Amino acid sequence: MDSDTLIANAPEELSLLSRLVVDRATMRETNEKLTLIIDEEGARLLTMERVRQEIECAVKKVCGLEVAYERAA
């Protein structure tokens, strides 16, 4: 899974802010979870519950996985 695929397959679920987080994230799929490795800006945007919910809903719809978040080093 990559950000372009997620955005293309769930356009109704993702607002512009959610798309920004997804687009800037690196994704890694492990143990039935999709981990989004996010930068500082993405982490700031994820403090908004709506952004987090939109991303988790989109991932569940597109690939049926749970979402985890990890800060980029």
Side-chain angles (χ1 to χ4, degrees), residues 12-29:
E12 300 85 27
E13 284 78 9
L14 297 170
S15 66
L16 290 175
L17 290 176
S18 298
R19 289 176 193 210
L20 180 63
V21 173
V22 169
D23 191 49
R24 295 171 59 119
T26 302
M27 297 184 189
R28 181 178 66 230
E29 191 175 328

Side-chain angles (χ1 to χ4, degrees), residues 4-5 15 17 19 24 28-30 33 35 37 46-47 51 55 57-58 63:
D4 292 335
T5 303
S15 66
L17 290 176
R19 289 176 193 210
R24 295 171 59 119
R28 181 178 66 230
E29 191 175 328
T30 56
K33 285 191 179 183
T35 301
I37 302 161
L46 281 174
T47 63
V51 170
I55 293 170
C57 179
C63 57

Side-chain angles (χ1 to χ4, degrees), residues 45-72:
L45 291 171
L46 281 174
T47 63
M48 292 186 273
E49 186 64 27
R50 180 178 59 91
V51 170
R52 184 182 296 266
Q53 287 175 346
E54 289 172 356
I55 293 170
E56 292 172 4
C57 179
V59 169
K60 185 66 102 176
K61 175 185 175 184
V62 172
C63 57
L65 299 174
E66 299 282 327
V67 179
Y69 303 96
E70 185 177 303
R71 283 289 288 273

